[in-house]
Amino acid sequence: MPAKIVYLRSIEKHPYKDELKRKLEQALQYFPELSGEEIYVGILPEKDPADGKADGFNRIVKFSVDRPPTFVTVFHELMHLAIHKRKENGEKLPETEEFCSIAAMARMPPEFVDEDWIPYIGRFKISRESIPELCRSALEYRRRHRNYIQFLRKRLEVKP
């Protein structure tokens, strides 16, 4: 049973609501641990500088109304919910923004990478198509090493 998206009334104020809805529905296919869950979607206050925010406990994601939604942001916020769900099921996962970004990008089909940066990791100058595979390799590296974030930044040629 797929996740059920419940749009809060505030979403009607989002100038890109149709694009946001389309991207959310596409992205949820890559989050099997959210199957059967109700995911609540709303908007952030206009003055909030964030692109998005998530509340894993309440299964709420909110997005900025100041800019069009990107798959990078949508996947990042859904990953917060997925991490929370997996932790509820006993997995031991970091709750850092860096881990969330890497795990989110690792799930993305290459054609969904629609920004030249990974939130909390940095801007990259390499091909977007290679980003998901590099993020998967960083998660694999993390199994044996602690410095997986630096490992990824080096491969992305991100400047500190």
Side-chain angles (χ1 to χ4, degrees), residues 141-156:
Y141 185 86
R142 179 183 167 272
R143 293 178 191 218
R144 297 176 309 284
H145 308 283
R146 293 174 48 104
N147 61 337
Y148 70 101
I149 298 168
Q150 292 78 10
F151 170 89
L152 179 60
R153 284 183 174 141
K154 184 174 182 180
R155 274 141 193 84
L156 294 172

Side-chain angles (χ1 to χ4, degrees), residues 31-47:
F31 291 89
E33 60 273 80
L34 298 178
S35 293
E37 298 287 332
E38 284 190 340
I39 309 295
Y40 298 90
V41 179
I43 63 169
L44 292 169
E46 287 185 38
K47 303 268 188 223

Side-chain angles (χ1 to χ4, degrees), residues 23-83:
K23 287 183 177 180
L24 275 164
E25 289 167 14
Q26 286 180 282
L28 272 170
Q29 297 173 52
Y30 299 92
F31 291 89
E33 60 273 80
L34 298 178
S35 293
E37 298 287 332
E38 284 190 340
I39 309 295
Y40 298 90
V41 179
I43 63 169
L44 292 169
E46 287 185 38
K47 303 268 188 223
D48 196 314
D51 290 339
K53 290 188 179 175
D55 173 353
F57 185 77
N58 291 303
R59 308 279 192 268
I60 299 172
V61 289
K62 293 183 180 181
F63 297 92
S64 171
V65 294
D66 297 338
R67 52 200 151 287
T70 65
F71 276 118
V72 170
T73 299
V74 169
F75 268 73
H76 180 89
E77 299 312 329
L78 290 176
M79 182 54 70
H80 278 298
L81 303 187
I83 289 169

Side-chain angles (χ1 to χ4, degrees), residues 12-137:
E12 292 305 316
K13 296 178 186 173
H14 201 295
Y16 304 98
K17 70 178 177 257
D18 294 335
E19 182 179 354
L20 177 60
K21 288 177 179 183
R22 180 181 56 78
K23 287 183 177 180
L24 275 164
E25 289 167 14
Q26 286 180 282
L28 272 170
Q29 297 173 52
Y30 299 92
F31 291 89
E33 60 273 80
L34 298 178
S35 293
E37 298 287 332
E38 284 190 340
I39 309 295
Y40 298 90
V41 179
I43 63 169
L44 292 169
E46 287 185 38
K47 303 268 188 223
D48 196 314
D51 290 339
K53 290 188 179 175
D55 173 353
F57 185 77
N58 291 303
R59 308 279 192 268
I60 299 172
V61 289
K62 293 183 180 181
F63 297 92
S64 171
V65 294
D66 297 338
R67 52 200 151 287
T70 65
F71 276 118
V72 170
T73 299
V74 169
F75 268 73
H76 180 89
E77 299 312 329
L78 290 176
M79 182 54 70
H80 278 298
L81 303 187
I83 289 169
H84 185 85
K85 179 72 174 179
R86 289 168 63 185
K87 287 182 74 102
E88 284 179 342
N89 292 333
E91 283 188 61
K92 295 193 183 324
L93 297 171
E95 292 186 69
T96 66
E97 292 291 351
E98 293 87 353
F99 177 79
C100 183
S101 284
I102 295 168
M105 299 297 282
R107 288 190 183 202
M108 291 179 79
E111 63 273 15
F112 281 21
V113 180
D114 54 0
E115 294 191 69
D116 292 328
W117 76 297
I118 300 174
Y120 305 97
I121 301 299
R123 260 188 209 291
F124 53 84
K125 294 182 177 159
I126 63 173
S127 165
R128 287 180 178 183
E129 291 77 33
S130 61
I131 299 305
E133 181 58 37
L134 286 171
C135 288
R136 286 190 291 276
S137 71

